[in-house]
Every structure is written in C-alpha cells, then in structure tokens.
Amino acid sequence: MSKIEWTDKTWNVITGCTQTSPACQNCYAKSMTNRLQGMAKKGIKGSEKYISGWDSVIFHTDMLGHIFNFKKYPSGCKVFVIL
Ligand code: SF4
C-alpha cells in the first residue's frame, strides 16, 4: 500500500531528468528520487539502484516485470507511475 492517499501502489521505473523550466522547481519526481537516494546512502535494502540520484536518467529495466506481479499489483489496484 502506498502512503499516497489517492493511489494504491507506486511504480518508479524511470528516475532522473533535466530541469528545463521554472515549473520544474517543485518537481515531485525529483523529491521522490532524492528521498530514495537518501535511503540508498543509508544502505536501506532495495533502494541501492537509486544511488545515482536525480542527475542521471536511469530506466530501471529490472522493474518492468514487477507490474505483471499480480500479488504485488493485483487487478484493479491504482498504480501511480512516476516518470
Ligand atoms: S520530471 Fe520534473 S524536472 Fe523533469 S520536466 Fe517534469 S517537472 Fe521538470
């Protein structure tokens, strides 16, 4: 279950971006990636792949199969895809 009230799950399959607009100043994805990077720096299990943080665009191909894991993502659940 996600801590975000309007979704059931999150799927962080791509991290990183290049900020190009003033509108990017409050980027949710950047905040999320920075949080995951902080977890990786603390050595929290499962967060290792986020160690590069926001400055590198990374397609986490290892996450592709996760969306077909119907135990983790059961039919009908709302999934927030953070790109
Ligand atoms: S993901 Fe964030 S930094 Fe990238 S374009 Fe969107 S708002 Fe801007």
Side-chain angles (χ1 to χ4, degrees), residues 13-14 17 22-23 30-31 33 40 47 69 71 73:
V13 71
I14 296 176
C17 189
K30 181 178 180 181
S31 300
T33 300
S47 62
N69 180 338
K71 284 188 177 173
Y73 296 95

Side-chain angles (χ1 to χ4, degrees), residues 23-62:
C24 297
Q25 193 168 8
N26 299 313
C27 177
Y28 178 84
K30 181 178 180 181
S31 300
M32 172 72 80
T33 300
N34 287 342
R35 186 177 67 80
L36 293 167
Q37 183 185 36
M39 292 168 61
K41 285 180 177 176
K42 289 179 184 173
I44 296 174
K45 188 177 177 191
S47 62
E48 303 87 352
K49 63 183 154 203
Y50 301 110
I51 195 69
S52 298
W54 187 248
D55 295 328
S56 302
V57 177
I58 298 175
F59 182 20
H60 301 278
T61 54
D62 60 306

